[in-house]
Amino acid sequence: MRNTIVSIIAILLGLIAGGLLMLAIGSNPIEGYNYLLQGALINIERIGNTLATATPLIFTGLAVAFAFRTGLFNIGAAGQMLAGGLAATAIALTFEFSRPVMLILMILGGLLAGALFALIPGILKARFNVHEVVSTIMMNWIAYWSVYYIVPGYFKGPSLETESQKLPDEYTLRAPFLSDMFDGSYINYGIFLGIIAVIIIAFIIDKTTLGFELKAVGFNRHAAEYAGMRVNRNIILSMLISGALAGLGGVALYTGNASSMQIGLLPSQGYDGIAVALLGANNPIGVFFAAILFGILYSGTGFMNAMTEIPPELANTIIAIIIYFAATSVLIHRIIDKVKRSKANRPEHKKGEA
Amino acid sequence: MSYVVEMFNIRKEFPGIVANDNISLSLKKGEIHALLGENGAGKSTLMGVLFGMYQPERGIIKVREKEVRITNPNVANQLGIGMVHQHFKLVENFTVTENIILGSEPLKGLVLDIDKAAKRIEELSKHYGLNVDPYAKIEDISVGMQQRVEIMKMLYREAEVLIFDEPTAVLTPAEIDELMKIMRNLIKEGKSIIIITHKLKEIKAVADRCTVIRRGKSIGTVNVAEASEESLAEMMVGRHVNFKVDKKESTPGDTVLKIDSVSAKNNRKVMALKDFSLEVRRGEIVGIAGVDGNGQSELVEAITGLRKVESGNILINGEDITNAPIRHRIEKGIGHIPEDRHKRGLVLDYRLDSNMVLEVYNKRPFAKNGLLNFGEIRAYAENIFKNFDVRSGEGGASLARTLSGGNQQKAIIGREIELDPDLLIAVQPTRGLDVGSIEYIHKRLIEHRDKGKAVLLVSLELDEVLKLSDRIAIINNGELVGIVQASETNENEVGLMMAGISKERSV
């Protein structure tokens, strides 16, 4: 509850600061935000696109938040996304199955690839105490260059050297009924996977013995060890699950929102996941709404730019400011405390004086 | 005589609790004033208010007869008030000098003038008899020395009023004597001292006056010379306190724990436990006596599985558990009250009730098929709180972090005894606790023994070991010096053995 208030205050402060920026470059902030919102939500197609934009962020946000609950900082979500996306793409371009079987295989493949990619830093951390921040960043570049090598080498598209072949429509997460329902939007099954993931992760964290253990390890590994929990196993397990989530994010991005993989790009959603987790206070439900907000900002910015003089970079700026306020939430906590205290004191003082 | 600090009618509330209710305290110039109270009575809170860490809801503070508002610790420092915290605030890999000047670094042009600072520290050290090496690194010096660095920090900043928060909790007996001497030196030089404590012996030894608070309320201020330990204890706890431990003769049964020539290394990879052998039987309390850092921690960690054993065997009820995982040992009946309650004993950011099932959260009835049953957990925890008198602001829902040290300790002890272990290992079980809680915990340990269970007590307080144990094993430099019957020995004999002077092995 309290975290929610803090996050909302951070968002409001970020939006106000964004408005001031718009003023500073001589634009009307009300008009700007109006177009931003319209761009994201004005019709059913745009709503669909906004949800689709948010989908990979739900996954990467969950991935970062989940690892963080175990005291791990997984900033390798980008690499794990690439691994997941590449695995799903490779499966779809190599084999032939009926659509349901193929989709399940692609999802599982992406999930496993992401998990395996995070397993390596997990093992390094558990066995040799290699800090996961270092190893996951290195794994990002391993994924980046692996895609650079594998896509042109094995799955080259017909025209472009830098892109994989396009997946056939029936081998993507797109569904005609969804596209129809959302007036031709590129929304796809990914959003449902995301919602399911949110529910499962929230359940694991709050209701299961596994979650109890993982959180205990995250808060105080010495006490967890004392109580007989296997700390190293939990670290590896946590990285596996985190990587699997990011891998699914890759599946949603590369075989849902897009239908091919480009080389030479680390998906920005990987790092954005950190911001989403932070704003969502590492809570799965919080992550969901934070991801939707980011989706709105990202997908509305183009329309805003088309209708006004405001540059599209403003969306990124607003996000950065929101993150800044979320990261310094201690301040907000303190202000809330003060307000509460002065409220609580007032009647008492009166009593004292009377 | 004039007062340097006066606090009038201080009131401080925390969610669910009134920590200080109308408390007054005045400190004369040049006196040592003890602040006595049970754990959670509100001593630290009151000093926190004086040091600017908390803002009181009501009350007036005067320093040198001028009314002041101490809004943060910097203001306190400017007023000449310094505090030595119970948990030191030092940078481990900095030198003594670097730590002391942190925050007020002397400059020569644009560069740090370390030498000048070091020289001044050396002078101060000599002047007050602190014996601190300005160039030593914090990680290399003993806890007692680290505390002196904290004292030096205040002297360097020319503090006139020094607050010590339970300064002896972390010290060995010899270091405590040393600290008392230093405090007397400080008084001679015109400083004034407030010492937060619940150790009556120390109050009798150094303090001039003593203010007693109980459950957030002021009970009174007395001249220490006119009060006895008993009367102070009664003021603090609110009832008569029994200093003696009532216990029956022990009737040892089968061996529960058998340690057979075990060796283990410490964190610096040096052999810290050497060929150590010991048996603990049902129905007896075996105490381990020794000076801090002589292998006690390594011994306990070897038994509980937190440390690898280099050679030798450990058996529980006849089963070899030398290399068994920790959980297996817990299931085999080892309960462990750890030395460091913050590091090992609690997940401070978990609710208190979750902490009560830290070892059994995955067993029925607390979990079924991997799902937690919060109702059962709460009920189980409530029972422990009731039985062990654990007080917290919001009951089981409080974060473990928010409890006072004594209540945290009682919660841990409750948790371990509730598991009903065949072998209860109690390491410093009453460290930092007040006499009321100590009396209570001692009673529970003896009760556990009388249920026919084995208790291994490790304590740096020789008094405690002598009082509770049926047999005493003395450890020095990682080796067993000897085992004596508690009823046939005395402080002198054990003290000598602790220093490594062996007598004929008895028993």
Side-chain angles (χ1 to χ4, degrees):
Chain A
M1 181 61 213
R2 172 139 197 184
N3 282 330
T4 315
I5 295 173
V6 169
S7 291
I8 288 172
I9 292 176
I11 292 165
L12 288 177
L13 290 174
L15 293 177
I16 291 169
L20 291 177
L21 267 178
M22 290 184 206
L23 270 180
I25 56 173
S27 302
N28 180 347
I30 295 170
E31 195 189 24
Y33 279 127
N34 191 9
Y35 284 123
L36 185 77
L37 280 180
Q38 283 187 18
L41 306 167
I42 192 171
N43 59 35
I44 194 89
E45 183 202 350
R46 284 187 187 269
I47 291 176
N49 290 348
T50 298
L51 288 176
T53 309
T55 304
L57 292 171
I58 296 175
F59 282 110
T60 54
L62 275 182
V64 175
F66 188 81
F68 202 79
R69 281 297 188 90
T70 320
L72 296 168
F73 199 16
N74 177 16
I75 49 179
Q80 291 143 19
M81 278 179 84
L82 281 179
L86 183 62
T89 304
I91 290 169
L93 291 177
T94 312
F95 303 104
E96 273 184 44
F97 292 107
S98 66
R99 176 170 154 91
V101 174
M102 180 51 97
L103 289 188
I104 289 171
L105 281 180
M106 284 164 63
I107 289 167
L108 286 179
L111 183 146
L112 280 178
L116 284 176
F117 229 69
L119 175 66
I120 298 168
I123 291 176
L124 287 174
K125 168 92 177 183
R127 292 286 310 229
F128 306 109
N129 206 19
V130 174
H131 203 289
E132 71 280 5
V133 165
V134 176
S135 54
T136 50
I137 291 182
M138 287 164 73
M139 293 300 286
N140 278 348
W141 293 104
I142 293 174
Y144 175 94
W145 290 109
S146 300
V147 169
Y148 214 101
Y149 168 73
I150 293 171
V151 164
Y154 299 92
F155 304 109
K156 192 158 71 90
S159 52
L160 280 168
E161 283 284 332
T162 55
E163 251 183 66
S164 71
Q165 286 169 50
K166 258 184 149 12
L167 298 179
D169 271 350
E170 69 269 27
Y171 284 179
T172 67
L173 295 178
R174 300 269 178 94
F177 88 91
L178 270 178
S179 305
D180 290 348
M181 206 163 90
F182 283 88
D183 267 349
S185 152
Y186 57 89
I187 190 170
N188 54 71
Y189 285 137
I191 184 73
F192 298 115
L193 287 177
I195 291 169
I196 294 169
V198 166
I199 294 168
I200 292 178
I201 294 300
F203 185 77
I204 290 179
I205 288 179
D206 290 332
K207 304 279 183 220
T208 65
T209 54
L210 174 66
F212 187 90
E213 257 187 53
L214 290 173
K215 280 185 293 179
V217 171
F219 281 136
N220 182 351
R221 58 183 290 179
H222 298 291
E225 186 189 14
Y226 153 87
M229 300 173 191
R230 281 186 287 178
V231 171
N232 284 341
R233 197 196 67 150
N234 279 308
I235 286 173
I236 293 173
L237 196 60
S238 168
M239 278 308 276
L240 265 179
I241 295 175
S242 176
L245 289 165
L248 284 175
V251 175
L253 179 63
Y254 294 111
T255 73
N257 294 5
S259 53
S260 65
M261 285 192 82
Q262 288 178 318
I263 67 167
L265 269 180
L266 265 181
S268 64
Q269 287 89 344
Y271 288 110
D272 282 345
I274 301 170
V276 171
L278 184 65
L279 187 61
N282 294 315
N283 173 306
I285 311 291
V287 162
F288 178 80
F289 286 110
I292 299 287
L293 173 78
F294 281 29
I296 291 172
L297 290 175
Y298 278 132
S299 65
T301 177
F303 190 68
M304 175 184 73
N305 179 233
M307 304 303 285
T308 65
E309 295 290 295
I310 303 166
E313 285 77 13
L314 194 90
N316 275 319
T317 314
I318 292 173
I319 287 175
I321 297 170
I322 291 175
I323 293 316
Y324 192 81
F325 282 117
T328 51
S329 61
V330 187
L331 286 177
I332 301 177
H333 275 292
R334 232 181 249 171
I335 292 165
I336 296 178
D337 273 345
K338 246 194 189 148
V339 171
K340 259 194 196 153
R341 208 180 308 148
S342 64
K343 257 189 198 156
N345 274 354
R346 229 169 284 146
E348 197 186 280
H349 275 299
K350 267 180 200 153
K351 234 187 283 164
E353 285 155 15
Chain B
M1 191 173 272
S2 60
Y3 290 109
V4 260
V5 172
E6 292 162 286
M7 302 175 81
F8 297 112
N9 309 95
I10 302 294
R11 182 183 174 88
K12 174 73 202 162
E13 294 168 30
F14 291 114
I17 229 164
V18 181
N20 287 166
D21 185 4
N22 211 17
I23 297 187
S24 300
L25 180 149
S26 47
L27 177 68
K28 285 182 193 161
K29 189 167 167 49
E31 76 165 341
I32 300 183
H33 193 116
L35 184 55
L36 175 68
E38 285 189 280
N39 287 105
K43 300 171 301 226
S44 296
T45 306
L46 185 66
M47 287 303 106
V49 167
L50 179 57
F51 194 56
M53 294 189 294
Y54 305 120
Q55 296 308 308
E57 263 79 31
R58 226 184 289 157
I60 297 171
I61 302 176
K62 284 186 179 174
V63 174
R64 283 176 283 274
E65 280 158 23
K66 263 217 309 270
E67 190 174 334
V68 289
R69 279 206 51 201
I70 305 177
T71 45
N72 63 54
N74 288 334
V75 176
N77 280 333
Q78 280 156 20
L79 289 167
I81 299 171
M83 186 156 179
V84 175
H85 298 274
Q86 194 175 1
H87 301 280
F88 305 146
K89 299 176 188 315
L90 297 169
V91 183
E92 288 272 305
N93 49 3
F94 269 19
T95 65
V96 168
T97 304
E98 285 165 337
N99 266 289
I100 290 173
I101 61 175
L102 210 60
S104 60
E105 298 86 352
L107 295 179
K108 192 159 71 185
L110 280 175
V111 253
L112 207 54
D113 192 356
I114 290 268
D115 291 332
K116 187 176 143 206
K119 225 167 121 201
R120 187 152 162 244
I121 289 164
E122 217 157 4
E123 282 166 19
L124 281 171
S125 170
K126 250 190 224 129
H127 191 72
Y128 291 99
L130 289 176
N131 201 12
V132 175
D133 172 9
Y135 297 103
K137 268 196 182 167
I138 296 299
E139 57 193 4
D140 298 331
I141 63 180
S142 72
V143 173
M145 190 68 89
Q146 289 179 16
Q147 186 172 56
R148 276 182 252 162
V149 175
E150 285 281 358
I151 297 172
M152 186 68 88
K153 249 195 212 168
M154 301 192 295
L155 297 176
Y156 187 86
R157 286 166 177 68
E158 290 168 350
E160 290 299 318
V161 176
L162 294 85
I163 307 168
F164 287 81
D165 188 359
E166 310 216 354
T168 58
V170 291
L171 302 182
T172 62
E175 285 174 328
I176 292 176
D177 290 343
E178 195 63 29
L179 176 68
M180 303 272 159
K181 229 183 277 164
I182 291 169
M183 288 171 114
R184 287 193 202 100
N185 275 342
L186 291 168
I187 294 303
K188 244 185 265 159
E189 299 296 330
K191 311 279 182 196
S192 314
I193 294 178
I194 299 177
I195 170 173
I196 304 178
T197 185
H198 46 244
K199 293 195 184 162
L200 303 165
K201 236 187 197 169
E202 288 158 15
I203 293 178
K204 285 297 283 182
V206 291
D208 301 308
R209 292 193 306 152
C210 174
T211 295
V212 184
I213 57 182
R214 189 198 312 152
R215 296 206 183 186
K217 290 199 164 64
S218 186
I219 302 300
T221 302
V222 292
N223 284 326
V224 173
E226 295 156 18
S228 66
E229 281 187 40
E230 282 76 14
S231 66
L232 287 172
E234 223 174 304
M235 280 176 82
M236 167 166 77
V237 185
R239 62 181 161 79
H240 182 71
V241 178
N242 191 356
F243 280 95
K244 281 237 176 63
V245 176
D246 298 318
K247 62 172 187 177
K248 295 181 303 219
E249 200 57 18
S250 79
T251 47
D254 302 338
T255 301
V256 174
L257 170 71
K258 186 176 159 68
I259 305 169
D260 189 12
S261 52
V262 165
S263 299
K265 288 181 178 166
N266 65 13
N267 291 341
R268 279 169 297 164
K269 308 270 175 249
V270 180
M271 217 39 107
L273 193 65
K274 299 161 199 161
D275 277 332
F276 194 93
S277 297
L278 182 71
E279 285 189 19
V280 186
R281 291 166 293 178
R282 286 183 184 280
E284 71 169 352
I285 298 179
V286 174
I288 304 275
V291 179
D292 194 15
N294 271 275
Q296 296 99 320
S297 309
E298 287 78 10
L299 172 66
V300 169
E301 288 174 1
I303 302 170
T304 51
L306 291 163
R307 184 173 296 275
K308 217 180 98 222
V309 169
E310 300 295 324
S311 65
N313 293 303
I314 299 169
L315 285 81
I316 282 286
N317 289 325
E319 185 192 336
D320 191 328
I321 54 151
T322 315
N323 294 308
I326 295 169
R327 176 155 292 163
H328 182 76
R329 297 178 199 228
I330 295 171
E331 282 162 2
K332 282 292 147 200
I334 297 183
H336 176 196
I337 298 163
E339 183 177 2
D340 187 335
R341 55 179 167 251
H342 287 175
K343 182 179 172 197
R344 296 277 185 199
L346 294 167
V347 177
L348 289 174
D349 293 304
Y350 260 177
R351 289 161 53 117
L352 194 57
D353 45 15
S354 294
N355 268 296
M356 292 300 97
V357 292
L358 211 53
E359 292 119 325
V360 290
Y361 62 92
N362 57 349
K363 308 253 181 332
R364 285 179 187 229
F366 310 117
K368 218 166 100 183
N369 304 323
L371 296 184
L372 294 167
N373 183 338
F374 291 103
E376 290 286 348
I377 291 174
R378 267 195 290 276
Y380 179 79
E382 282 306 327
N383 187 38
I384 294 179
F385 304 152
K386 211 175 71 218
N387 286 341
F388 288 82
D389 187 31
V390 180
R391 290 181 217 149
S392 57
E394 296 157 70
S398 327
L399 288 187
R401 184 182 291 291
T402 60
L403 270 70
S404 71
N407 281 308
Q408 288 174 343
Q409 185 72 359
K410 281 194 275 185
I412 293 172
I413 291 174
R415 176 181 75 202
E416 297 306 310
I417 290 186
E418 197 67 30
L419 291 176
D420 200 22
D422 277 352
L423 171 69
L424 179 64
I425 303 174
V427 188
Q428 302 261 61
T430 57
R431 167 148 127 185
L433 299 194
D434 55 81
V435 281
S437 308
I438 291 174
E439 181 192 16
Y440 182 75
I441 284 164
H442 285 172
K443 229 182 350 192
R444 300 306 293 245
L445 291 177
I446 290 166
E447 251 174 56
H448 198 67
R449 176 198 82 162
D450 291 343
K451 271 195 290 184
K453 311 284 183 174
V455 177
L456 181 66
L457 170 73
V458 181
S459 176
L460 298 177
E461 314 246 357
L462 192 48
D463 279 356
E464 184 170 51
V465 174
L466 283 165
K467 250 193 295 191
L468 282 181
S469 313
D470 300 307
R471 290 190 300 145
I472 299 172
I474 296 99
I475 191 170
N476 176 269
N477 197 19
E479 289 173 47
L480 182 68
V481 180
I483 300 175
V484 294
Q485 293 286 353
S487 53
E488 296 163 10
T489 190
N490 56 44
E491 208 172 325
N492 272 339
E493 187 187 37
V494 176
L496 278 176
M497 290 172 81
M498 279 164 69
I501 299 157
S502 174
K503 69 165 208 162
E504 288 275 303
R505 289 210 174 186
S506 52
V507 188

